[in-house]
Amino acid sequence: MRSPTRYRRRVATVSSDLLRTQAYVGGQWIDADDGRSFPVVNPSTRETIADVPRLGAAETRRAVEAADQALPAWRAWSAKERAAVLRRLASLAAEREGELATLMVLEQGKPMAEARTEVAYALSFYEWFAEEAKRLDGAIVPSPWPDKRILVTREPVGVTAGITPWNFPSAMVTRKSAPALAVGCTMVLKPAEQTPLSALALAALAAEAGVPPGVFSVVTGDATDAPVIGAELTSNPRVRKLGFTGSTEVGKLLMRQCAEQVMKVSLELGGNAPFIVFDDADLEVAVTAAMVCKFRNSGQTCISANRMLVQEGIYDDFLARLTDAVGRLEVGDGFAEGVQVGPLIDEPAVTKVEAHVGDALELGAEVVTGNGRIDGQFYSPSILVDVTPEMRMSREETFGPVAAIARFATEDEAVRIANATPYGLAAYYMTTDLGRTWRVGEALEYGILGVNTGLISTEVAPFGGVKESGIGREGSSYGTDDWTELKYWAVGGLAPAH
Ligand code: SIN
C-alpha cells in the first residue's frame, strides 16, 4: 500500500479564496450563530483539514429568506444572461481544476486522477445546462374552441433545496445546482458533513462568476445538525423543491417531510446493481467493465456493481482474469503516484464492509483474493465467490472494494435474480448476442443500463432510478424537467375565424 503523504503540504497548494471554512449564506461568508464548528477529516490520514461551521435552523432559514429575496430578479434574467454566468463558472472551475481536485482528495480520499475526472464531470453540468437554459421551450396546442388559444410555458419552480452526498463532493452539487440555476431557480445546498469543502469552493467560484447573492447558498453542519437543517429545508413554505442524493432510508424520511407541504422532490437513492456476465461476453471487455464499475471510488458509488452474476460457461475464465486484475490494484493515499484505490470515507464505512464480508463468510462464501482491512480506513480490494441472495452483500449496498460473485445457469435465472431487489438504479450486462442485448435490457427493471461497459456517467444522459432507487432524472435534456413547472394558458376572448 502506498503510504499517506502529510496533508499540510497539500492544503498549502489550495489558495485561500478556495479553501473556505465558513458557510456561504445570502452572499456572505458566515460562522454559526453560536460559533460552533466541526472538523473535516482526511480519510487517508485521519487528520483534521479544517473546521467548518455547525449551522442550525435559524441560519438555514436566513439562507432560504435570501434565496426567496433573490428569486424575482434571478428568474427575470434572460436565459442567455444566466447561461453566460454558468459558462463563466465552468471556465473558472476548469482554471482551478488542480485545486478543486486537491480539496477533493483531501476530504474524500479518492485518487488524484479520479478527482480530476470528477472536476471535469462536475463542470460539464454547468456547461450543459448553460445551453439547456436557452432551450426551455413550451407549446402551442391546437385549441378545441374557436375563440381561445392554448399555450404551455415552463417556469422555474422557485426556491429549491439540494442535499448532496460525500462520494462525489463536486459533481452531485453541480448536477443539482446547474439545472436549478439555469432555469431561474435559487438554491440552498447542504453538502455532506464529510465533504463540505468542495461545495464551499464551488460557492466561491459561483460568486466570482457573477451569481448574485442569495441565488446559491451553502449551509454546513455535522451529522447531528443534518436533521435540523433538513427539517427546515423541507418544512419552510418558501422552499418548493428538494433534490437529494443519498441513502434510500434518508430519502424516504425527506420525502415524508416534503409531503407535508406537497413539495416537489427528485431523489437519487441507493442501488443494488447487478453485473451480469453471459457466456457469450467478450472476456476482456467484461473484466475491464467490472474493474471500473466495482473499484472506481473504492466501490463507493450508488451505481457500483454490487452483485456479480457470472454464467457457468465463462465463470472460471472470468474469475481468473478478474482475480489477476484485482491483485494488481494499487491501494494508498490519493496523492501517491499510481494509486487506484483510496481509503473508505470513515470508520462506519469500513465497519459496514467488514460486517458484510463477515456475514457472507459465515453463510458459506469464500474469499478468492483480499486481506480485509489493511490499515486505518484502507480496505483490501477483494473478491468473494459463492455469494447467495440471502447474504447481506446481496441485499444491501456494500459501498466498498469487494466484488461479490455468484454463478448462474440460464438467462431467465440471471434476470430473475437481478430484478429480485427493491432497488432499480443501474444494471450492467456483458454479451455479444444482439437478441440477448434487447431481451435482457427490456426485462431489467432499472433506470440505467450499462451494456458491455462499466462506465455510464455523463452529463448528456438521464441519471436516475426506478423503484426504491428514486424519482426523477438528473443531467441530459430531460434534466430541466424536475426544476420547472408547466403553466397552461387558456387565452380567450378571441374573435372566431370567419
Ligand atoms: C452516485 O454514486 O450517486 C453518482 C455516481 C455517478 O454520477 O457516477
Side-chain angles (χ1 to χ4, degrees):
M1 190 187 88
R2 300 289 180 88
S3 57
T5 43
R6 303 299 296 177
Y7 78 95
R8 279 194 185 79
R9 271 184 281 139
R10 296 292 175 174
V11 173
T13 65
V14 181
S15 312
S16 56
D17 66 326
L18 281 199
L19 180 61
R20 295 290 181 163
T21 55
Q22 289 177 297
Y24 186 65
V25 171
Q28 306 289 322
W29 294 100
I30 65 157
D31 293 318
D33 288 351
D34 60 9
R36 290 183 310 164
S37 62
F38 68 98
V40 182
V41 175
N42 180 335
S44 174
T45 62
R46 290 177 159 172
E47 291 168 298
T48 297
I49 306 160
D51 288 295
V52 165
R54 289 187 58 186
L55 302 191
E59 299 93 327
T60 306
R61 202 168 304 132
R62 290 206 294 276
V64 170
E65 278 160 14
D68 192 43
Q69 277 163 22
L71 181 67
W74 180 244
R75 61 179 284 169
W77 282 36
S78 71
K80 197 166 174 166
E81 289 167 328
R82 289 194 300 268
V85 168
L86 287 178
R87 274 202 311 275
R88 240 181 346 261
L89 182 45
S91 305
L92 288 172
E95 279 165 30
R96 312 292 296 271
E97 181 247 18
E99 288 167 276
L100 291 171
T102 298
L103 272 181
M104 205 187 303
V105 178
L106 282 168
E107 65 178 351
Q108 204 273 347
K110 63 179 66 183
M112 191 62 177
E114 274 192 40
R116 284 185 183 278
T117 305
E118 183 179 336
V119 174
Y121 181 39
L123 70 86
S124 74
F125 290 106
Y126 292 140
E127 286 171 345
W128 177 267
F129 285 108
E131 295 306 311
E132 286 302 300
K134 295 182 280 185
R135 301 190 186 110
L136 269 195
D137 47 13
I140 299 173
V141 183
S143 171
W145 303 292
D147 62 337
K148 289 185 195 166
R149 297 293 178 268
I150 294 178
L151 280 69
V152 183
T153 56
R154 264 180 197 279
E155 296 191 345
V157 285
V159 175
T160 67
I163 301 182
T164 50
W166 49 263
N167 59 346
F168 290 88
S170 293
M172 297 304 102
V173 172
T174 60
R175 199 158 76 182
K176 286 171 181 49
S177 60
L181 269 52
V183 302
C185 296
T186 55
M187 175 174 275
V188 177
L189 181 111
K190 158 73 176 67
E193 65 269 15
Q194 294 92 338
T195 57
L197 301 179
S198 296
L200 293 170
L202 290 172
L205 292 180
E208 191 182 338
V211 173
V215 169
F216 181 62
S217 291
V218 177
V219 292
T220 53
D222 72 8
T224 52
D225 307 319
V228 179
I229 295 172
E232 180 61 32
L233 291 177
T234 53
S235 66
N236 190 315
R238 291 187 167 104
V239 182
R240 293 311 315 148
K241 187 220 152 102
L242 169 72
F244 169 72
T245 295
S247 71
T248 295
E249 188 192 351
V250 175
K252 285 180 181 177
L253 178 77
L254 290 167
M255 193 176 174
R256 274 195 292 273
Q257 292 174 193
C258 289
E260 277 303 309
Q261 51 169 349
V262 195
M263 192 195 284
K264 209 171 164 80
V265 290
S266 50
L267 305 169
E268 200 258 278
L269 307 177
N272 184 3
F275 184 98
I276 310 170
V277 185
F278 288 105
D279 282 347
D280 58 71
D282 178 316
L283 202 52
E284 195 172 323
V285 166
V287 172
T288 305
M291 290 301 290
V292 66
C293 182
K294 180 68 250 185
F295 296 100
R296 178 170 80 116
N297 206 5
S298 304
Q300 303 173 110
T301 88
C302 306
I303 52 173
S304 292
N306 205 51
R307 299 169 290 155
M308 288 196 180
L309 309 172
V310 187
Q311 200 163 13
E312 286 166 349
I314 201 169
Y315 186 90
D316 290 342
D317 287 343
F318 177 77
L319 184 59
R321 295 272 285 265
L322 189 71
T323 306
D324 178 55
V326 171
R328 283 187 278 111
L329 281 174
E330 196 74 61
V331 182
D333 186 273
F335 289 117
E337 197 64 36
V339 158
Q340 293 152 297
V341 177
L344 298 185
I345 189 70
D346 52 21
E347 184 57 30
V350 189
T351 312
K352 181 181 181 189
V353 175
E354 288 176 330
H356 277 205
V357 171
D359 167 78
L361 296 183
E362 224 165 82
L363 293 175
E366 276 185 40
V367 177
V368 174
T369 185
N371 306 310
R373 189 197 290 250
I374 304 172
D375 183 25
Q377 288 163 213
F378 291 92
Y379 197 93
S380 173
S382 310
I383 299 178
L384 266 68
V385 292
D386 298 333
V387 173
T388 55
E390 69 274 10
M391 295 175 184
R392 276 188 73 185
M393 58 171 52
S394 298
R395 292 181 284 114
E396 301 167 29
E397 279 182 310
T398 301
F399 244 59
V402 179
I405 302 192
R407 200 189 284 258
F408 72 90
T410 66
E411 185 181 301
D412 283 353
E413 185 190 357
V415 170
R416 188 172 37 74
I417 298 171
N419 285 341
T421 171
Y423 302 100
L425 186 54
Y428 306 84
Y429 57 104
M430 308 291 125
T431 181
T432 53
D433 180 318
L434 188 57
R436 173 169 275 160
T437 301
W438 287 100
R439 267 194 319 275
V440 172
E442 285 164 3
L444 287 171
E445 297 162 357
Y446 286 84
I448 307 170
L449 299 178
V451 188
N452 297 322
T453 179
L455 203 54
I456 52 182
S457 305
T458 163
E459 78 281 13
V460 310
F463 193 104
V466 299
K467 294 160 77 177
E468 293 192 19
S469 286
I471 293 174
R473 294 294 181 269
E474 293 184 324
S476 83
S477 54
Y478 305 99
T480 49
D481 291 355
D482 283 311
W483 305 92
T484 51
E485 296 281 15
L486 296 180
K487 183 175 272 178
Y488 152 45
W489 308 49
V491 183
L494 308 177
H498 294 293

